[in-house]
């Protein structure tokens, strides 16, 4: 998150109250200074996902990760434009289940299940 890393929303919005909202509306245009671009992030996530799929072909696996990676995997599978990335709500301790079927040299991903949160406090 570049300059936003480790800061609270209050610290980020102190001098520009609408900056976080603009980012959530269109993270490709309004990303924080110094932050990795979403296209680069997508490339890293998709490459890592492909590597995991190749190493664990035919197996069921559990991956525990943060919301950004879940959003990016879903955006990739569902072909969601990166500008709409934050329209996917990822709750604390949520579960997202995807399935990848091998299609020759590629894997076809499908969203099976996405639940808001297991956390009763969220």
């Amino acid at each position: 998150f570049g300059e936003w890393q480790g800061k609270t929303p209050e610290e980020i919005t102190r001098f520009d109250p609408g900056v976080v909202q603009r980012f959530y509306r269109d993270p490709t245009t309004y990303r924080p200074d110094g932050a990795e671009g979403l296209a680069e992030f997508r490339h890293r996530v998709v490459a890592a996902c492909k590597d995991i799929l190749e190493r664990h072909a035919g197996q069921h696996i559990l991956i525990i990760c943060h919301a950004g990676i879940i959003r990016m995997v879903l955006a990739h599978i569902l072909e969601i434009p990166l500008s709409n990335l934050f329209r996917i709500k990822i709750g604390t301790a949520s579960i997202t289940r995807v399935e990848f079927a091998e299609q020759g040299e590629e894997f076809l991903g499908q969203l099976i299940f996405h639940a808001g949160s297991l956390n009763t406090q969220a």
Side-chain angles (χ1 to χ4, degrees):
F1 279 98
E3 290 184 1
W4 292 5
Q5 191 69 38
K7 293 183 180 175
T8 65
E10 293 76 24
E11 292 171 314
I12 295 168
T13 59
R14 180 176 299 142
F15 301 107
D16 186 349
V19 70
V20 173
Q21 188 62 32
R22 286 191 301 275
F23 170 73
Y24 284 129
R25 262 192 244 121
D26 184 1
T28 58
T29 302
Y30 299 103
R31 77 177 190 213
D33 288 337
E36 177 181 29
L38 289 180
E40 293 83 8
F41 181 52
R42 180 182 210 157
H43 179 75
R44 279 194 311 114
V45 169
V46 169
C49 190
K50 183 178 179 194
D51 180 59
I52 290 168
L53 291 170
E54 289 171 352
R55 287 188 289 127
H56 301 281
Q59 297 177 335
H60 292 266
I61 59 172
L62 171 68
I63 299 173
I64 300 171
C65 57
H66 66 77
I69 292 174
I70 297 167
R71 279 189 190 96
M72 200 56 77
V73 168
L74 291 178
H76 176 68
I77 288 172
L78 302 174
E79 298 181 1
I80 297 169
L82 295 179
S83 59
N84 295 339
L85 200 61
F86 286 96
R87 294 183 186 189
I88 303 170
K89 177 76 172 176
I90 308 293
T92 302
S94 66
I95 294 177
T96 301
R97 182 174 179 198
V98 296
E99 179 178 273
F100 288 90
E102 198 167 350
Q103 300 283 315
E105 300 214 359
E106 294 185 24
F107 292 92
L108 172 66
Q110 296 178 307
L111 173 62
I112 305 298
F113 176 80
H114 178 73
S117 179
L118 295 178
N119 182 350
T120 59
Q121 302 299 316

